[in-house]
């Protein structure tokens, strides 16, 4: 797993990095825009990828985009990335190539 996807960042640090309030960060989680992991004690942990997504969300919200529209865009992006990885894997397997 890439460092970008490891869930190791606390909500306080995410707040400092993004400028979003703790409430905004929790709200975007409630809306299904980000998915932090939880420790055994219930502490949220975020990845650098989550931070990037939150910055994109903040930009879109400033432009007046609603959260449900942002969620649809994020889902399309994720599907595209999954399809790309699958296709790359099939091509690599077919041509016996490494990444």
């Amino acid at each position: 797993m890439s460092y970008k996807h490891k869930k190791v960042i606390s909500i306080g640090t995410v707040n400092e990095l993004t400028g979003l309030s703790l409430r905004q960060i929790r709200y975007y989680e409630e809306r299904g825009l980000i998915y932090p992991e939880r420790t055994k004690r219930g502490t949220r942990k975020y990845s650098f990828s989550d931070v990037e997504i939150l910055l994109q969300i903040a930009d879109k919200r400033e432009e007046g985009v609603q959260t449900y529209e942002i969620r649809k865009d994020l889902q399309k992006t994720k599907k595209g990335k999954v399809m790309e990885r699958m296709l790359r894997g099939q091509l690599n397997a077919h041509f016996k190539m490494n990444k």
Side-chain angles (χ1 to χ4, degrees):
M1 176 184 289
S2 161
Y3 78 91
K4 189 174 182 177
H5 301 289
K6 288 185 180 179
K7 307 274 185 170
V8 295
I9 306 169
S10 70
I11 194 168
T13 303
V14 172
N15 160 258
E16 289 180 44
L17 291 170
T18 63
L20 295 169
S21 70
L22 301 180
R23 179 69 196 117
Q24 286 173 303
I25 297 166
R26 290 184 192 113
Y27 175 75
Y28 296 142
E29 178 187 355
E30 290 168 12
R31 301 295 296 163
L33 300 175
I34 55 169
Y35 301 95
E37 288 181 1
R38 299 280 185 131
T39 66
K40 291 178 183 178
R41 299 179 119 190
T43 303
R44 292 171 173 86
K45 291 292 184 178
Y46 300 86
S47 66
F48 286 104
S49 180
D50 292 329
V51 171
E52 288 177 0
I53 291 169
L54 284 165
L55 290 169
Q56 292 172 7
I57 292 168
D59 288 343
K60 289 180 181 185
R61 290 293 294 140
E62 278 187 22
E63 295 169 5
V65 180
Q66 298 297 315
T67 54
Y68 73 90
E69 294 174 281
I70 296 170
R71 185 171 50 248
K72 286 188 340 191
D73 288 345
L74 289 172
Q75 289 170 345
K76 285 181 193 175
T77 301
K78 285 180 187 176
K79 284 182 185 178
K81 287 180 182 178
V82 168
M83 293 295 287
E84 181 182 326
R85 283 197 312 264
M86 287 174 55
L87 179 59
R88 186 176 296 133
Q90 290 172 345
L91 288 171
N92 289 343
H94 180 75
F95 293 107
K96 296 178 175 66
M97 298 169 53
N98 292 329
K99 295 183 184 182

